[in-house]
Amino acid sequence: MKKIKVLYIDDEEINLEVFYSTFRKKYDVYTAISADEGMKILDNNNINVIISDQRMPEKTGVSFFEEVKVKFPDTIRIILTAYADYETAYESINRGFVFRFMQKPWDFEDLVNIIEDSYKIYTLTTKNKELANQYQLLFDHHTIPVFIVDKSTFKITKANKCAVEFFSLKENDFNLDVNSLFPFKHLINDNNKIIGVLNGEREKRMVNIRYEDITWDKTASYLISIEDQTELIAFEKAKLDFMSRIQDKERKQLSMELHDGLAQELVLLKLYVEESLSKDEQALKSFLEAHKKIINSIRSLSYSLNPPDLKNGFSKALENLFLRLEEASKINFIYANKNPNQADSLLDQNRAYNLYRICQEFINNSLKHSKAKNICSKVEVSDDYFLLEVKDDGIGFNSDEIKLGDGLKNMEERAKIADLKFEIESKPMQGTTIRLLITL
């Protein structure tokens, strides 16, 4: 087992001899008859614990330890004195960063315990320093921006190279409130959040913010990491957009087949049946009524599958959809929008198209599964937001327990493509509601 290296300094040679003979088997002992000689030993040896007499002719123990703490801050320092000098004790602890203050003559067991305790502190101190150095190295060379922020003031304590480059920080920015770079205060209790921030080039980047509580330099702090997700989000959005276009192409093709194929076949069937049932007026009347319902259903389904006509604006297109669906079904459709022109002015083509498609998807799901009697939609707009809400009064479902089907997944994907905040709310026997929000 590695021995503890102990340096003992005393201006009385007899004391040095007694100390050496007492502890030489237990510790790796070094002795010095003056502070200057002790400093030379420290320069050439990795000493763990220093014990020094306080009253020496050229330099006191406290004065010596003030020099030692600058050159060798990790060493553990102990003062010995033959006097009950409390002023010396105060000085030794407050000026010299001394671990213990002992009076002569020392007791063997007491001094052993003190040396052992001192070495434990030395070991912990050096290990902590090694860990801190390793952490510092990782911090400085991390490939994403990282900040250390004071927990009480939100001031930036430290920033790694990536953070400096990402936000184009300068030296005088290192006492900056981190909230001036991104709204971190609002993200507390909402860890691992993706938000938009402006980098040093004033470009908007979508980043994932993570943080954890740490103690840095004896201060409660946050360790904040920032992972740029802009390219990944753009790729996912492009992928979803591509899938959406493929689905729309397939729906358009199916719509054309219904309209140009099946509908035309029904027209021919009508001609044949009219001829064969021309003498049976009641049978012909019943057939024609059934035929009309089938044709209307096909037309409604064909229109729903076909990409919407948005040339007159999103509001008019959605209103027309509700009117047609009400004509073709027994469900009551209600559409409310007090400011259609203002609403349409806030929507680009991409958002208008995907909003329309999400409404279609919701209505299709509702018609298939909800057993609703009413489907309502309303649009709210202001200077701060655009909100579209669609709801039915059907059987609903437990959104916490039931896995979302393809229809609801499609709605979520379209919301991502159009950069919309999507919410769905449903409870058994209380209907289902979707909300699509644009924050301006």
Side-chain angles (χ1 to χ4, degrees):
M1 183 176 177
K2 187 178 178 180
K3 286 185 176 182
I4 302 171
K5 290 188 175 182
V6 180
L7 169 61
Y8 178 62
I9 304 168
D10 198 312
D11 62 326
E12 296 183 29
E13 195 164 344
I14 185 65
N15 291 338
L16 298 178
E17 292 174 359
V18 170
F19 186 90
Y20 182 82
S21 61
T22 303
F23 292 103
R24 65 184 179 80
K25 291 183 179 180
K26 190 170 184 63
Y27 305 123
D28 191 357
V29 177
Y30 297 79
T31 60
I33 202 163
S34 68
D36 291 340
E37 187 178 326
M39 188 63 77
K40 291 178 183 178
I41 293 173
L42 287 170
D43 287 334
N44 296 299
N45 298 277
N46 185 26
I47 301 298
N48 309 132
V49 180
I50 311 172
I51 303 170
S52 175
D53 185 27
Q54 163 62 7
R55 295 187 180 253
M56 295 185 291
E58 295 179 359
K59 191 179 294 182
T60 66
V62 170
S63 297
F64 172 61
F65 280 163
E66 282 190 296
E67 297 175 11
V68 170
K69 74 178 180 182
V70 176
K71 291 185 69 175
F72 306 99
D74 296 339
T75 56
I76 307 300
R77 298 170 287 276
I78 301 166
I79 285 285
L80 283 176
T81 180
Y83 304 92
D85 189 346
Y86 293 104
E87 184 179 348
T88 299
Y90 179 84
E91 272 194 303
S92 65
I93 293 170
N94 290 281
R95 290 176 55 205
F97 288 89
V98 173
F99 173 61
R100 289 293 295 268
F101 171 79
M102 290 188 64
Q103 285 187 316
K104 289 181 179 180
W106 45 262
D107 178 79
F108 175 79
E109 290 186 3
D110 287 345
L111 191 51
V112 166
N113 289 333
I114 290 171
I115 292 172
E116 299 290 336
D117 290 343
S118 300
Y119 185 67
K120 288 177 184 176
I121 292 174
Y122 173 86
T123 303
L124 287 173
T125 301
T126 52
K127 282 184 178 179
N128 285 340
K129 182 172 278 190
E130 288 173 5
L131 289 172
N133 290 336
Q134 292 175 11
Y135 178 80
Q136 182 70 49
L137 190 64
L138 289 171
F139 181 89
D140 290 338
H141 292 85
H142 209 297
T143 55
I144 64 173
V146 181
F147 289 100
I148 295 175
V149 173
D150 187 291
K151 201 168 184 179
S152 60
T153 65
F154 292 99
K155 295 289 183 69
I156 296 172
T157 305
K158 196 168 183 61
N160 72 346
K161 183 180 179 182
C162 283
V164 171
E165 292 176 349
F166 186 85
F167 289 102
S168 299
L169 298 177
K170 297 179 173 57
E171 287 186 15
N172 57 356
D173 291 333
F174 279 84
N175 201 28
L176 197 68
D177 188 321
V178 74
N179 294 290
S180 65
L181 300 178
F182 51 89
F184 176 70
K185 189 182 292 186
H186 300 294
L187 301 179
I188 297 174
N189 301 323
D190 193 8
N191 208 346
N192 202 23
K193 178 85 170 180
I194 293 180
I195 62 169
V197 303
L198 294 177
N199 65 9
E201 303 296 324
R202 309 309 293 171
E203 300 171 335
K204 185 177 180 180
R205 309 295 292 178
M206 300 305 295
V207 299
N208 189 4
I209 306 287
R210 296 188 181 93
Y211 75 91
E212 59 182 283
D213 297 332
I214 64 167
T215 299
W216 179 261
D217 197 21
K218 299 180 182 179
T219 303
S221 305
Y222 293 113
L223 177 66
I224 305 171
S225 62
I226 302 172
E227 189 172 357
D228 194 337
Q229 298 281 318
T230 309
E231 280 72 26
L232 178 61
I233 290 172
F235 173 77
E236 290 295 327
K237 188 174 180 180
K239 184 172 72 173
L240 291 173
D241 192 29
F242 174 76
M243 293 171 62
S244 177
R245 291 199 304 271
I246 293 296
Q247 289 174 349
D248 288 331
K249 184 177 179 181
E250 291 175 347
R251 287 172 177 169
K252 185 176 181 179
Q253 187 173 355
L254 179 57
S255 170
M256 292 172 62
E257 291 296 327
L258 285 170
H259 185 271
D260 299 337
L262 185 57
Q264 298 306 316
E265 293 294 330
L266 284 171
V267 170
L268 291 174
L269 178 62
K270 179 184 177 184
L271 295 174
Y272 293 142
V273 173
E274 282 179 340
E275 185 177 349
S276 62
L277 297 178
S278 58
K279 296 178 181 180
D280 189 341
E281 293 184 6
Q282 184 58 44
L284 180 59
K285 183 179 179 182
S286 298
F287 168 77
L288 291 176
E289 288 177 355
H291 181 272
K292 183 179 180 181
K293 288 182 180 179
I294 294 171
I295 288 292
N296 287 340
S297 295
I298 289 174
R299 284 174 178 167
S300 177
L301 179 59
S302 176
Y303 191 90
S304 295
L305 290 169
N306 214 10
D309 181 6
L310 296 169
K311 65 182 179 181
N312 294 321
F314 165 78
S315 300
K316 194 65 178 176
L318 190 60
E319 183 180 4
N320 289 338
L321 174 65
F322 272 52
L323 290 172
R324 284 191 302 274
L325 289 169
E326 186 164 27
E327 289 176 1
S329 69
K330 296 179 180 180
I331 296 177
N332 184 32
F333 283 84
I334 303 168
Y335 174 68
N337 184 356
K338 294 181 179 179
N339 301 295
N341 292 332
Q342 184 184 3
D344 291 347
S345 69
L346 299 175
L347 301 174
D348 58 26
Q349 186 175 2
N350 177 52
R351 278 179 166 167
Y353 176 78
N354 283 290
L355 277 169
Y356 187 94
R357 282 303 196 201
I358 291 170
C359 289
Q360 276 189 318
E361 194 76 60
F362 177 83
I363 292 168
N364 288 339
N365 281 352
S366 186
L367 292 173
K368 290 178 185 176
H369 308 297
S370 75
K371 300 179 182 179
K373 295 181 180 179
N374 299 282
I375 296 179
C376 306
S377 176
K378 67 176 181 178
V379 174
E380 294 180 9
V381 291
S382 75
D383 294 335
D384 300 318
Y385 69 91
F386 170 100
L387 175 65
L388 171 64
E389 181 179 276
V390 189
K391 62 181 178 180
D392 66 38
D393 59 357
I395 59 175
F397 58 91
N398 190 330
S399 56
D400 294 329
E401 295 180 0
I402 296 178
K403 186 178 180 181
L404 298 184
D406 290 338
L408 294 179
K409 287 179 181 177
N410 287 340
M411 285 187 263
E412 287 185 330
E413 289 175 354
R414 286 192 180 278
K416 287 181 182 178
I417 291 171
D419 196 19
L420 304 167
K421 183 177 181 182
F422 176 83
E423 294 178 353
I424 183 164
E425 180 181 313
S426 187
K427 293 182 180 179
M429 307 313 297
Q430 295 185 35
T432 303
T433 303
I434 60 167
R435 297 181 186 88
L436 294 139
L437 178 67
I438 303 171
T439 303
L440 305 175

